[in-house]
Amino acid sequence: MIEVAVLHEEGWPGPDWEFLAQQAVSAAIAHSPYAAFATGSTLYEVAVKLTDDDEVHQLNRAYREKDKPTNVLSFPMVQEDLLEVTANTDDGEVLLGDIVLAEGVCAAEAAEKGISVADHATHLIVHGTFHLLGYDHMDDNEAEAMEALEIRALLSLGLADPYGDRDNG
């Protein structure tokens, strides 16, 4: 089972963020090698925080040594090599990690792309979930693999390819 907790600050108008975040996290997991997380007896938890640019700037500086806000940050709680054995937890619950989105950056990027903030935030939550599952985009091969999974997850939600038109099987 998958449970998503959403902390939602003022400045994030729009849809039912709890529903949107649950759908985004579930879609990402369903399109990963960890799809069984959704149907097993273990409860997998993800926290999504929708906050302002200042908080994300502070987090980005503290944890990534980048002195600027960014659109999304992910904080995995399970090491990638231990994801396969998480169902063996003693209490039946696994905190996969936290995803934090910056409202101003997200809104500006959505406007630049000509899409809704909700659609862009959905993409960022999907992206952040793949980071929680051990995916990264440090080199071209990793980036292509991660983007292909994101595209499939987003298509399953009825959202277009955020990276442009190409065949991602």
Side-chain angles (χ1 to χ4, degrees):
M1 296 182 300
I2 300 166
E3 182 176 291
V4 179
V6 177
L7 298 166
H8 166 251
E9 295 196 3
E10 295 297 320
W12 280 89
D16 178 347
W17 291 107
E18 288 77 14
F19 178 79
L20 183 146
Q22 181 73 44
Q23 294 298 305
V25 170
S26 295
I29 290 173
H31 289 85
S32 79
Y34 306 104
F37 287 2
T39 57
S41 60
T42 301
L43 176 63
Y44 291 89
E45 299 172 86
V46 174
V48 175
K49 184 166 189 183
L50 306 172
T51 190
D52 59 33
D53 291 5
D54 289 338
E55 182 173 356
V56 173
H57 185 165
Q58 291 171 17
L59 291 168
N60 205 23
R61 183 174 42 230
Y63 291 99
R64 296 181 65 226
E65 298 179 3
K66 297 188 185 245
D67 194 18
K68 62 180 182 177
T70 188
N71 53 12
V72 62
L73 292 171
S74 299
F75 298 96
M77 299 298 208
V78 179
Q79 289 176 213
E80 180 182 358
D81 61 335
L82 297 177
L83 284 166
E84 294 285 336
V85 296
T86 54
N88 295 330
T89 179
D90 290 337
D91 64 1
E93 296 181 8
V94 175
L95 178 58
L96 287 178
D98 301 330
I99 301 168
V100 184
L101 277 67
E103 190 274 329
V105 175
C106 184
E109 289 176 351
E112 183 179 301
K113 295 173 182 280
I115 61 174
S116 71
V117 170
D119 286 355
H120 189 49
T122 299
H123 173 219
L124 296 175
I125 294 168
V126 165
H127 181 88
T129 302
F130 279 114
H131 279 305
L132 299 183
L133 297 175
Y135 288 87
D136 214 333
H137 41 81
M138 298 304 286
D139 66 40
D140 288 344
N141 290 335
E142 287 179 345
E144 286 180 25
M146 186 172 170
E147 288 172 7
L149 290 171
E150 289 177 41
I151 291 164
R152 284 189 214 116
L154 291 168
L155 288 174
S156 77
L157 296 171
L159 298 177
D161 174 354
Y163 298 107
D165 296 327
R166 57 186 162 183
D167 182 22
N168 288 288

